[in-house]
């Protein structure tokens, strides 16, 4: 067999592996990062403004149902949207509500006092057109006293967020059967004309026990705290930190739905274990909707 001649110039030498070109390391695209953060913040603010937002209970005005340290979910859409719906109260007063409807008696709502920026949390007691008054601690709506039970003592555990101080509850600090401190409070169960009921605290005779007859104007609601003798609500003038009478429905920011979790005040920010230890048992998931009772 004839061989194949390969000339010197025809020789092919194996090529060395090509060295890939050096890739240039890309830096952080700060503009893209900032844009992503911007849209995230906008989405959170939009959700808080139009759907739901968390709320923290800062005072004893809604005891016994709500304690200082409770964290809630407040929905924004049940009554439509108004100038107080955005997370930050930056808008001036704007008349009316978008897709608005009035709350129902017994609803727990967040409200901004007229001319103020902070949020309160109270219960809806009176609706537009109601003739409302209060005598000796009893609410009277359209001439009919609402149903009230006899006061029944209840032991509420004492902790840093619920200290049972003499300023708020003089003489109410007791030792329970388990030798732990408790706040013994007289609880009165109230039932509104629509059959919705809830618990209140009745500490005895106080200035807040009487309120002269008042006809609630159109598109306004009368709000009260469940801790009747310790609540700055529609019975209390604005200058004293109250709501100054019936509140325009535009000032209602949303409806309280349920407790997400509750802290007793012992948590330390630098100690994650203490966050767990500070959780109050049995409060997470508690509904804030009033009980539905027979109004007859």
């Amino acid at each position: 067999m004839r061989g194949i001649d390969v000339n010197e110039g025809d020789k092919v030498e194996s090529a060395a592996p090509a060295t890939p070109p050096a890739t240039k390391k890309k830096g952080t695209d700060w503009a893209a990062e900032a844009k992503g953060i911007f849209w995230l913040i906008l989405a959170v603010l939009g959700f808080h403004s139009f759907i739901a937002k968390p709320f923290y209970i800062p005072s004893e005005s809604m005891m016994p149902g709500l304690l200082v340290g409770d964290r809630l979910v407040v929905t924004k859409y049940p009554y439509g949207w108004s100038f107080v719906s955005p997370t930050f109260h930056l808008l001036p007063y704007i008349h009316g509500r978008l897709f608005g409807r009035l709350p129902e008696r017994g609803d727990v709502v967040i409200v901004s006092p007229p001319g103020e920026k902070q949020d309160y949390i109270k219960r809806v007691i009176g609706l537009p057109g109601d003739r409302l008054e209060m005598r000796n601690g009893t609410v009277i709506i359209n001439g009919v006293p609402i149903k009230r039970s006899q006061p029944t003592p209840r032991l509420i555990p004492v902790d840093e967020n619920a200290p049972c101080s003499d300023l708020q509850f003089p003489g109410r600090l007791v030792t329970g059967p388990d030798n732990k401190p408790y706040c013994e409070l007289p609880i009165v169960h109230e039932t509104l004309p629509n059959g919705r009921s809830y618990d209140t605290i009745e500490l005895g005779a106080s200035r807040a026990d009487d309120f002269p007859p008042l006809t609630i104007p159109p598109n306004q609601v009368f709000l009260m705290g469940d801790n009747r003798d310790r609540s700055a609500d529609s019975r209390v003038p604005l200058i004293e930190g109250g709501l100054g009478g019936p509140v325009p429905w535009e000032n209602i920011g949303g409806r309280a739905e349920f407790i997400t979790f509750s802290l007793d005040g012992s948590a330390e920010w630098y100690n994650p274990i203490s966050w767990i230890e500070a959780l109050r048992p049995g409060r997470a998931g508690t509904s804030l909707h009033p009980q539905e009772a027979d109004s007859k």
Side-chain angles (χ1 to χ4, degrees), residues 1-290:
M1 182 175 178
R2 188 178 177 184
I4 300 176
D5 292 331
V6 179
N7 295 327
E8 189 69 23
D10 296 328
K11 290 182 179 178
V12 179
E13 298 194 359
S14 55
T19 303
T23 56
K24 187 177 179 180
K25 188 175 181 180
K26 295 180 66 176
T28 302
D29 187 345
W30 292 110
E33 294 290 335
K35 185 177 180 180
I37 293 172
F38 169 78
W39 286 113
L40 176 62
I41 293 173
L42 195 64
V44 171
L45 292 177
F47 187 86
H48 283 184
S49 297
F50 298 105
I51 307 300
K53 79 168 188 174
F55 189 82
Y56 167 77
I57 298 299
S59 75
E60 296 94 347
S61 71
M62 284 297 289
M63 288 180 67
L66 290 171
L67 305 177
V68 174
D70 284 349
R71 269 70 172 178
L72 324 176
V73 166
V74 173
T75 51
K76 294 299 190 75
Y77 53 83
Y79 314 129
W81 296 274
S82 73
F83 76 101
V84 300
S85 296
T87 299
F88 301 107
H89 299 327
L90 303 177
L91 297 176
Y93 176 83
I94 301 173
H95 178 73
R97 302 186 73 96
L98 180 64
F99 304 118
R101 72 174 180 85
L102 284 165
E104 296 183 50
R105 298 185 201 275
D107 283 355
V108 177
V109 301
I110 58 170
V111 57
S112 295
E116 301 291 335
K117 299 296 184 182
Q118 74 268 34
D119 287 327
Y120 289 12
I121 184 163
K122 304 295 177 186
R123 190 179 298 277
V124 177
I125 301 296
L127 297 176
D130 284 345
R131 184 75 172 168
L132 186 145
E133 62 181 299
M134 196 167 181
R135 295 184 205 157
N136 299 321
T138 298
V139 177
I140 301 171
I141 299 176
N142 299 324
V144 181
I146 67 173
K147 295 181 179 180
R148 303 181 82 223
S149 70
Q150 291 298 314
T152 303
R154 181 183 300 174
L155 297 178
I156 296 178
V158 168
D159 54 40
E160 292 186 35
N161 274 340
C164 199
S165 67
D166 279 340
L167 179 65
Q168 293 292 328
F169 305 112
R172 298 291 176 176
L173 184 63
V174 300
T175 300
D178 55 2
N179 292 320
K180 293 181 179 180
Y182 289 88
C183 208
E184 187 177 54
L185 299 175
I187 305 301
V188 172
H189 195 69
E190 290 188 350
T191 303
L192 293 171
N194 62 349
R196 305 179 91 188
S197 61
Y198 48 87
D199 289 333
T200 65
I201 296 176
E202 178 56 72
L203 295 174
S206 74
R207 182 177 71 139
D209 281 349
D210 293 282
F211 188 83
L214 169 79
T215 299
I216 301 173
N219 290 330
Q220 295 191 20
V221 292
F222 198 92
L223 306 174
M224 297 176 69
D226 292 345
N227 187 1
R228 288 294 162 76
D229 301 307
R230 298 291 186 270
S231 176
D233 48 39
S234 288
R235 299 168 296 169
V236 180
L238 284 170
I239 196 171
E240 296 180 21
L243 295 175
V247 178
W249 74 328
E250 290 91 347
N251 291 66
I252 302 295
R255 183 177 68 193
E257 302 293 347
F258 60 89
I259 297 172
T260 52
F261 64 95
S262 183
L263 298 175
D264 63 14
S266 65
E268 299 168 323
W269 66 268
Y270 57 83
N271 182 3
I273 295 178
S274 71
W275 306 346
I276 299 174
E277 294 173 342
L279 289 170
R280 290 183 175 125
R283 294 193 66 75
T286 301
S287 172
L288 299 177
H289 295 180

